[in-house]
Amino acid sequence: MTHLTLNIRKKSLLYLLLLFGLLLTLFPFLWMISTSFKPENEIFQKTINLLPASFTFEHYLKLFKEINFGKHFINSLIVSLGITGFSVVINSMAAYAFAKIDFPQRNRLFLLLLITMMVPMQTTMIPSFYILKKMGLLNTFSGLIIPAGASVYGIFLIRQFMFSIPNSLIEAARIDGCSEWYIFWKIIIPLSRPILATITIFTFLSAWNEFLFPLIILREEAKYTLPLALATLNGQFNTDWGLLMAGSVVVIIPVIIVFLLVQKHYIKGLTAGSVKG
Amino acid sequence: MAQVQLKAVSKSYIPGALIINNASITVNDGEFMVLVGPSGSGKSTLLRMIAGLETITTGDILIEGKVVNKLHPKDRDIAMVFQDYALYPHMSVYDNMAFSLKSKNVSSSIIKKRVLEAAEILDLTPLLMRKPKALSGGQRQRVALGRAIVRQPKVFLFDEPLSNLDAKLRTQMRLELKRLHAFLKATIIYVTHDQTEAMTLGDKITVLNHGVIQQMNTPLNIYNHPTNQFVASFLGSPQINFFDSTIISQNHHLYISNNAWEIDMPEKFRSNFNNLQSPTKVMIGVRPEDIFEFDDGALKRPQFCFNATVDVVETLGAEVLCSLKSDVGPIQMRISDKKQVVSYSANINKTKRLTFDLDQMLMFDPETGNNLFSTATPC
């Protein structure tokens, strides 16, 4: 057997495995979309039909007419964009300080920050609730946005990326007469775009899908975010699967849009620093 | 442009361990000063201290007579060109050059005028809209220069700006820098570890080693009258030859003696050894270009010779660098005679009779390394 044939066989096997993995991942997603367009009687058929026999938009119409999904969608958008914007700014500022500004005990302080990653969210939930209550931020979007402003994981990722920005650029800018603030906005932020895109996706995704914290903070149903509203579709005795799947499709759309918008930078961010620049 | 003065400047990161030790330098208005030394000698640290990127532990740095120790880099009115160019990769050449002026809110018409002028001087006009990644090494270096020029600073600082370029481009940029200095008449402080750059560019050279200034003078004075063995060995390629020798006084005659030769002490060195009681060790230094083959027929020739065997011959085209083995150790010889250059490699393993120019000989104290007859005029 020639080396070439062996190579082709190995590659075919690899692609076959990858194809299997792809189908395994893709199937629930396609099933969800398909179900959202199926009429009620078709959903519970014994045979598996990926394409609905007759298309219907009734679940989508019901979603926006009866349970005010549009309002929850906007709530989610406000909270998720708020958290994403706020945390990208705060995290990148903190990361710049930890990566590029020399101050006493910098590394120890950063280590201390890293240690907080080991504290589970459940342990800080009740103290956070009391703090927000004292601040009068319960049942407000600010109560969801402000606590999510700083993330140690985000600071860590951005800081590691910023290490790869040569110090000479910052020194050149200092000699050029720039203030630290100007250097941060004009040099550091544009050069950190790949990692900021990555952080944007991570943060947006987790904010968009967050269920527990909004459940604790938000009291009025009118202020519910999408995951909370989606949960209300799950009845105690029966579930409207068509409606639930339509809701799930609507929930996923913004995530896909955000990913498509920043995917180029996102890939760069994930591979940043892996090869010599 | 301005004068830069360093008065007894020292720097230490850990108490007691001095990186820069009591450095005093004066760079006159419009002068091109080169700080040269091996890696870790403190030359870049010294430059960064002048720029304000490093604090100083003791001493004073003065620009135009004003102490700038505590001033922020942006307030010192200096421009610096970095080893890695430090161009902002997300900006075009134009924006890179205009950046400092923009940050100072200079009007866009003045910015445009200055950038275009600098681009014209450096032949960058067709490249103004390109990003740094689309430029060659030499072009990037010119942009870095342009960025410094548009600021019209009092002092230019260069931190090994040519070390990332290939040999050909380095030579070309060296010429451009020389031309630029003549055109701008700027005060320049230039750091390099490359002795050729130091010799060709500098009006004055400061040689540093282990944070201590070894010598500060004109290139030729430093080359011909090095203050110590370190300076003699650092400048000159191939390196200067050193021969362990002894000075002996016999019947009111002074001789320099070693395993290979015994020669009369040249007139100019005698005065120091008139009262010599016992044999004294010295280190003789002879540049490779001052060693040549002994010619019996020459009318005016040195009265001594010694044997050496040709070991390695490196033909460089215009000259030959020859390594020889002798009783006084290895010898480096530079041959520029065109007739010899052509076929010198045929001499490998042959024994040659060599001699050297006694007037060019240097004599060092083997313990301190100091030149016993340093005649360089202070500058």
Side-chain angles (χ1 to χ4, degrees), chain A residues 166 168-169 171-180 182 186-187 190-191 193, chain B residues 48 53 73-74 78 80 82 84 86-90 99-100 103-104 147 151:
Chain A
S168 58
L169 287 186
E171 287 172 348
R174 279 184 194 142
I175 290 176
D176 274 346
C178 304
S179 62
E180 289 301 320
Y182 197 82
K186 295 283 179 181
I187 310 282
L191 292 180
R193 261 187 316 210
Chain B
R48 291 167 60 80
L53 298 171
K74 69 180 160 73
I78 45 143
M80 187 158 166
F82 291 83
D84 60 359
L87 300 179
Y88 309 124
H90 56 298
F99 185 73
S100 65
S103 72
K104 287 175 189 158
R147 200 169 64 180
R151 295 193 41 207

Side-chain angles (χ1 to χ4, degrees), chain A residues 16-265:
Chain A
L16 218 65
L17 275 170
L18 285 173
L19 195 69
F20 179 69
L22 175 74
L23 288 175
L24 216 63
T25 324
L26 207 61
F27 185 76
F29 183 72
L30 293 175
W31 189 248
M32 172 186 76
I33 297 171
S34 157
T35 309
S36 72
F37 289 108
K38 282 178 184 170
E40 202 68 44
N41 57 350
E42 220 184 295
I43 291 175
F44 293 101
Q45 269 180 352
K46 277 182 186 171
T47 50
I48 296 173
N49 293 326
L50 206 55
L51 279 176
S54 54
F55 271 92
T56 174
F57 287 97
E58 64 176 292
H59 305 303
Y60 288 93
L61 291 173
K62 196 172 164 193
L63 196 67
F64 287 95
K65 268 187 190 161
E66 289 180 21
I67 54 170
N68 206 1
F69 220 68
K71 173 75 185 157
H72 300 305
F73 188 89
I74 289 171
N75 291 348
S76 261
L77 215 56
I78 293 169
V79 171
S80 301
L81 289 178
I83 288 176
T84 308
F86 193 49
S87 78
V88 164
V89 171
I90 298 285
N91 290 345
S92 53
M93 278 159 60
Y96 176 60
F98 279 119
K100 296 292 180 189
I101 296 176
D102 218 10
F103 58 88
Q105 306 298 326
R106 184 178 75 165
N107 291 339
R108 284 195 182 148
L109 203 66
F110 186 70
L111 198 70
L112 204 69
L113 207 67
L114 283 186
I115 290 170
T116 63
M117 279 176 88
M118 292 171 201
V119 181
M121 189 247 182
Q122 287 76 2
T123 56
T124 57
M125 220 153 56
I126 295 167
S128 298
F129 177 82
Y130 273 107
I131 292 168
L132 290 172
K133 192 180 169 193
K134 290 261 182 207
M135 290 171 77
L137 293 176
L138 282 187
N139 200 29
T140 63
F141 292 150
S142 308
L144 290 176
I145 294 169
I146 293 170
S151 119
V152 180
Y153 181 60
I155 295 171
F156 174 74
L157 272 187
I158 303 172
R159 172 184 175 264
Q160 295 311 107
F161 184 89
M162 283 180 179
F163 274 135
S164 68
I165 299 174
N167 285 339
S168 58
L169 287 186
I170 297 167
E171 287 172 348
R174 279 184 194 142
I175 290 176
D176 274 346
C178 304
S179 62
E180 289 301 320
W181 190 244
Y182 197 82
I183 294 171
F184 177 70
W185 283 114
K186 295 283 179 181
I187 310 282
I188 300 297
I189 290 293
L191 292 180
S192 303
R193 261 187 316 210
I195 197 68
L196 296 184
T198 309
I199 295 294
T200 301
I201 291 185
F202 281 164
T203 315
F204 187 84
L205 263 176
S206 72
W208 188 259
N209 294 326
E210 180 63 42
F211 176 77
L212 192 59
F213 203 59
L215 183 71
I216 298 167
I217 303 300
L218 302 175
R219 297 298 170 84
E220 275 174 65
E221 204 172 330
K223 287 191 175 168
Y224 274 8
T225 54
L226 276 179
L228 295 186
L230 214 58
T232 59
L233 301 180
N234 251 328
Q236 194 177 354
F237 302 107
N238 68 330
T239 302
D240 185 344
W241 286 105
L243 192 64
L244 189 65
M245 290 302 122
S248 302
V249 170
V250 174
V251 167
I252 280 172
I253 290 169
V255 176
I256 293 173
I257 292 173
V258 169
F259 186 80
L260 288 176
L261 282 177
V262 289
Q263 66 164 336
K264 195 177 82 182
H265 297 299

